[in-house]
Every structure is written in C-alpha cells, then in structure tokens.
Amino acid sequence: GCVFLFFGIGLFFRRYRRIIAILLGLLLLLMILFHHLQPLIIHVSNPSEWAAVCELISFSAGAFFIADDDILSSPIGKSSKTIHRAAIVSKYVFALALLVFGIEHYLYAEYIGTLVPTWIPGTVIWSYFVMIAFVGASISIFVGKAIYTSLILLGCMFSLWVLILHGPRVALHLSLEPEWTSLFVAAGMAGTSFIFANRYFAKR
C-alpha cells in the first residue's frame, strides 16, 4: 500500500515520472505472476480471476505507455528502444484484456445486468452493449483503425460508470472495501484509456 501511494504521488513529478511508470508497470506484472497466476490456472473458469488479471494487465500497459514517451512532459521518441517495444506490446495486451472483458460481459450478462442501477431500463441489454464496446475497441486497436475515437469513447464509458454506478454504491456503503476497489478500478481503466488515446491524438 505504501509503495502504491509513493508511486501515485511520484507520477505527479515530471523529473521522476518515467522511472516510476516503469517500476509501476513491473510491479503490476509481478503481482500477476506471484499473486494471481496460480489462482487463475487452478480456477480457470472463474470470471473474477480473469477480471483481476486483465485489470492489472491494463494498468501495467498504461504505465509502460507513460514511460515510453512521458506524455505529460517529453516529446515522443525519447525513450529507450526497450521501453518503446514494451509500449508496443502493451498496446496489444491491452486490446486482449478488453476482448476478455467483452467475452465476460457476454457469458455473464444476466449477473452483470443486476449491477445496473434499477432506474436505468433494459439492464441486461446494457451488458451486451458494453460487450460490443469492449470488443469494438479491441478490434480497433488490432486493425489500427479509429483507435483514438474508440479509446476516447471507452474512457468516457468508464468515467460514466464512476459517476452513475460505482460512485453511488460507495456513497451507500462507505465501509465496504470491494465497492471502493470497484470505483478505483473503473477510474483507473478510464485513465488508462485516455492515456492510450492521448498517444494517438499526438499522431493525428
């Protein structure tokens, strides 16, 4: 917890942003390797294990993208070849994670529908809509078409979840850790999507 707090604060400082992003990306990968990989292999049909691994993969990918060109402070192309290659791989790994999210929304549409606020009609339909959004964004990254638009829409979708889904649930259950975790995961996925989109905006 202290390490994550240190990294979170450190990312605000231009001088240390790149090295902290690299260390953060590596730490998240190590968490997958030593904490989540074995449970995933043992319980390969457990959607929660897949979701946890794909969330960490997505955050790690975002960290390496920050390290690649230090979006907020450095021109593109100043990072080392190794980091640049890691960022390229991260793009496709992120796309794979989105594909897994999409598949899970299809397989568990009924359950996911129960998470939609009751004041929104057509709960299960939204699960399929989100599935299409995930799969569409994944395909967009793989084929290299409309990436910027797809990632901006993806980031907006996650941001909307923070506002209308996870935010109210946290407000009603302030002492429940899972609700806080879900809130910050959604916020983190929104941020990761915008980080990737920012790179493609720079290339337009």
Side-chain angles (χ1 to χ4, degrees), residues 81-157:
K81 291 182 179 179
T82 301
I83 298 173
H84 183 63
R85 288 168 184 161
I88 293 174
V89 172
S90 295
K91 177 179 70 174
Y92 295 108
V93 170
F94 180 62
L96 282 175
L98 295 178
L99 185 60
V100 172
F101 290 143
I103 293 172
E104 287 198 325
H105 275 71
Y106 173 76
L107 293 177
Y108 306 100
E110 293 290 338
Y111 166 72
I112 293 172
T114 65
L115 303 178
V116 178
T118 55
W119 56 269
I120 300 179
T123 53
V124 177
I125 293 176
W126 288 109
S127 182
Y128 291 116
F129 175 82
V130 172
M131 175 202 71
I132 293 172
F134 279 136
V135 174
S138 178
I139 293 174
S140 176
I141 293 172
F142 276 116
V143 301
K145 299 293 184 181
I147 297 178
Y148 174 76
T149 301
S150 297
L151 291 172
I152 285 293
L153 291 175
L154 189 67
C156 290
M157 182 181 74

Side-chain angles (χ1 to χ4, degrees), residues 7 11 17-32 55-72 74-94 188 191-193 195-197 199-200:
F7 283 168
L11 287 173
R17 187 176 294 128
R18 176 166 292 154
I19 185 61
I20 287 178
I22 294 171
L23 293 175
L24 176 60
L26 292 174
L27 175 61
L28 293 170
L29 291 178
L30 288 175
M31 289 179 63
I32 295 172
E55 286 162 2
L56 289 173
I57 285 174
S58 299
F59 296 149
S60 178
F64 285 123
F65 240 60
I66 291 175
D68 182 34
D69 62 12
D70 195 358
I71 291 168
L72 299 179
S74 301
I76 292 174
K78 282 195 172 182
S79 62
S80 72
K81 291 182 179 179
T82 301
I83 298 173
H84 183 63
R85 288 168 184 161
I88 293 174
V89 172
S90 295
K91 177 179 70 174
Y92 295 108
V93 170
F94 180 62
T192 300
S193 301
I195 286 170
F196 276 82
R199 166 69 67 86
Y200 290 97

